[in-house]
Amino acid sequence: MSVPVARTMLRSFSSLLRTQKTCMNNGAAADTSLRTYVTGTSEPLRRTGLYDFHVERGAKMVPFAGYSMPLLYGDVGQVASHHHVRTEAGLFDVGHMVQINFRGPTAAAFLEHLTPTIISNLPNYASTLSVLLNPSGGIIDDTMITRHSSDAFYIVTNAGRRDRDLPWFRSQLEEWNSPQGLGGQKGDPVEMEILEDWGLLALQGPKAAAHLQTFTSFDLKQLTFGKSAFVPIEGFNLHVARGGYTGEDGFEISIPPTHTVEVATLLTRSPVQLAGLAARDSLRLEAGMCLYGNDLDETTSPVEAGLSWVVSAERRDDVNGFIGAQEVLRQIKEGPKRRRIGMVVSGAPARQGAKIFKPGSDEQIGTITSGIPSPTLGKNIAMGYVSVGNHKKNTQLEVEVRGKRQQAVVTPMPFVKPTYYRGTDCKLKGV
């Protein structure tokens, strides 16, 4: 990768950090949100429990989702960091994400009221991605839901949506637990516990499993993609979920506040390299992952976003089955007016906000929501929304970049094939 291309990628990420001003939505996929949501406000930035850890290791800290978070470390650039995660392993601090426990005999029904996904039939310690919906069917946030037992669930939501999600949960809980609500009627109120200041580390890359295995007697081959367990790691009993936001095999590890620095220090050994927001953004876009605030918001439905699969089949005939069901089910039946697509763009990289046109036409048919030069592919890739009929594979489009039209072609996502570990019949590198 040339120096000019590397600089272009950093400018791309920097532009994301500058385009905050207001958050149209309470954010939007895991992790998760490369939009900062904090520029233009005088409120102090929050810090994860690893702030000093990052500074001591030469991190360039930037405002992101209301937190001061590492962008890069020392003289390791974005492209080098990206490649290290794809070929070896990287460790990301994602402790800014909101971790919550929901408990109670009607907890599954409560979460199924807020989301379009059936979770009551999840096996214990299995996870699913879902979305929180507003009454219009728009995505309040994307979330990962893990079932721990018949009446206990652990969920993770985006940091940039904290001020939207938590009041929403509380208001819905109050209604649910009232004498008129299901929890109140049955005498089975649901309790919410926010795991404030808990650490969350994402260990990602083809050597992540082999590295983590050196610290535990637990056989990580038992932990397939989408599964979790409490794993003994050097004397700590930690919640470890197999998955992540990069498309690589890896783990997300939840850690009590008093042990976060110690665990992070333990895991930051060769071949692991600390990685920041810059690499996280390019990795997630190559993997076709949405970033809330860019690719998802409260005006976007899961059908438009290409996430119809989060709407369980059992729920597609019940317009009163979950919040926002009427509009979401209408779109599933009749089709949406726009669709999220992936694109390969010729020429200069297309940024968020770039206009999409039909070739030779002045009719704007869509907008870019995320775009970067892909370090892995050596091409400019982008994600965006276009009107239905222009979303099919290999459709030729034009994107306006710096006042000039450039050719683009609709390309299936993910752009880079994921390497999730799905069982012992698959190769688990290094283990």
Side-chain angles (χ1 to χ4, degrees), residues 220-238:
L220 294 174
K221 291 179 183 178
Q222 300 178 32
L223 211 59
T224 55
F225 177 76
K227 301 295 178 61
S228 63
F230 282 94
V231 175
I233 298 177
E234 295 287 295
F236 305 108
N237 193 39
L238 304 178

Side-chain angles (χ1 to χ4, degrees), residues 85-87 204-206 225 243-250 283 287 416-421 429:
V85 176
R86 285 275 183 253
T87 57
Q204 300 281 292
F225 177 76
Y245 196 50
T246 64
E248 294 293 332
D249 182 31
L283 289 161
V416 175
K417 184 179 179 180
T419 58
Y420 305 128
Y421 173 66
K429 297 180 181 179

Side-chain angles (χ1 to χ4, degrees), residues 194-206:
I194 303 168
L195 301 179
E196 290 287 8
D197 301 321
W198 277 55
L200 191 62
L201 292 172
L203 180 64
Q204 300 281 292

Side-chain angles (χ1 to χ4, degrees), residues 342 390-397 408-412:
N390 299 289
H391 65 287
K392 296 180 181 179
K393 178 182 176 181
N394 295 328
T395 298
Q396 300 296 314
L397 303 172
V409 60
V410 177
T411 305

